[in-house]
Amino acid sequence: MAGNTVNATFHHTILNVDDDEGARYAKTRIFERAGYRVVEAASGADTLRLVQEHQPHLVLLDIGLPDISGIEICRLIKKNPATEHIMVLQVSASCVRPQERAKGLDGGADVYLTEPVEANELIGTAKALLRLYDREQEGRVLLKELTERERFIKSLVDAAPSTVYLYDLREQRNLYTNARSGATLGYASDE
């Protein structure tokens, strides 16, 4: 059974961020045993660098880091268009009050857990986030394919030697007109 888990999850990379070496080691072992590739960081600066270098699928992010707050790191990850898609699972043993958890979620965290966290809850939460990550990536690919198809169809319509109109009967408005039809009606292409 463990072999199947490794094959199913190894394509995901997790960045484990914790300044406590023992806690970081324990979490890394939990995720490696579950079949994930794990990269480690002990500071905010290392986290931001490794996010850019490795483009992890999930960042397991401690709040209390020595140089930059985990909440600020999360905000920076989610603000950057190149990394906003990365899932962030924030964890803390010290910031456990509801208003602190809410602050973490408002800062962009996808989930906020308070420690101690059972291994099976940590893995289960990570799996749920990674399923969501995979679905979002599938959606991005489909959207890109649709956009490419739309450009291709428009290029075919624009190249047509005859007049072509795309008209929405419900809305009763013209959606698209090729250049030839504009010229036929006496309009410039940008009109």
Side-chain angles (χ1 to χ4, degrees):
M1 183 73 178
N4 292 339
T5 304
V6 171
N7 292 337
T9 58
F10 191 70
H11 69 280
H12 288 118
T13 299
I14 296 173
L15 175 55
N16 178 15
V17 183
D18 198 321
D19 62 326
D20 181 289
E21 188 176 342
R24 190 174 63 248
Y25 174 81
K27 290 176 199 157
T28 292
R29 294 294 302 143
I30 289 168
F31 281 107
E32 286 177 339
R33 275 188 242 133
Y36 294 96
R37 179 175 175 263
V38 181
V39 178
E40 294 184 343
S43 70
D46 283 344
T47 301
L48 294 172
R49 179 179 53 78
L50 291 171
V51 162
Q52 294 297 322
E53 286 177 18
H54 292 276
Q55 288 288 309
H57 303 98
L58 172 73
V59 176
L60 178 62
L61 182 58
D62 184 32
I63 298 297
L65 297 173
D67 54 348
I68 307 170
S69 160
I71 292 172
E72 178 62 16
I73 292 168
C74 180
R75 190 187 68 70
L76 292 170
I77 290 170
K78 295 296 188 170
K79 185 175 113 177
N80 182 343
T83 59
E84 67 185 357
H85 62 282
I86 296 171
M87 293 291 164
V88 177
L89 171 53
Q90 287 188 325
V91 292
S92 182
S94 59
C95 298
V96 297
R97 295 189 322 255
Q99 62 268 31
E100 293 167 324
R101 292 192 311 262
K103 185 177 179 183
L105 293 168
D106 287 343
D110 297 291
V111 173
Y112 191 110
L113 296 176
T114 56
E115 295 185 288
V117 180
E118 293 291 326
N120 58 355
E121 181 183 9
L122 188 60
I123 293 295
T125 303
K127 283 181 179 180
L129 286 173
L130 291 168
R131 281 193 305 270
L132 180 58
Y133 175 90
D134 288 344
R135 297 307 171 271
E136 286 181 0
Q137 296 313 304
E138 289 169 8
R140 288 175 192 238
V141 169
L142 287 173
L143 184 59
K144 182 179 177 188
E145 288 174 3
L146 287 172
T147 304
E148 290 171 1
R149 286 183 193 157
E150 183 179 279
R151 279 196 297 264
F152 176 70
I153 290 169
K154 281 186 176 183
S155 71
L156 289 176
V157 170
D158 282 340
S162 58
T163 304
V164 178
Y165 300 93
L166 295 175
Y167 191 78
D168 186 333
L169 291 173
R170 257 185 275 177
E171 297 286 325
Q172 295 195 354
R173 66 182 183 95
N174 188 32
L175 298 175
Y176 187 75
T177 306
N178 70 348
R180 176 104 173 156
S181 60
T184 302
L185 296 171
Y187 291 103
S189 62
D190 61 347
E191 294 179 284

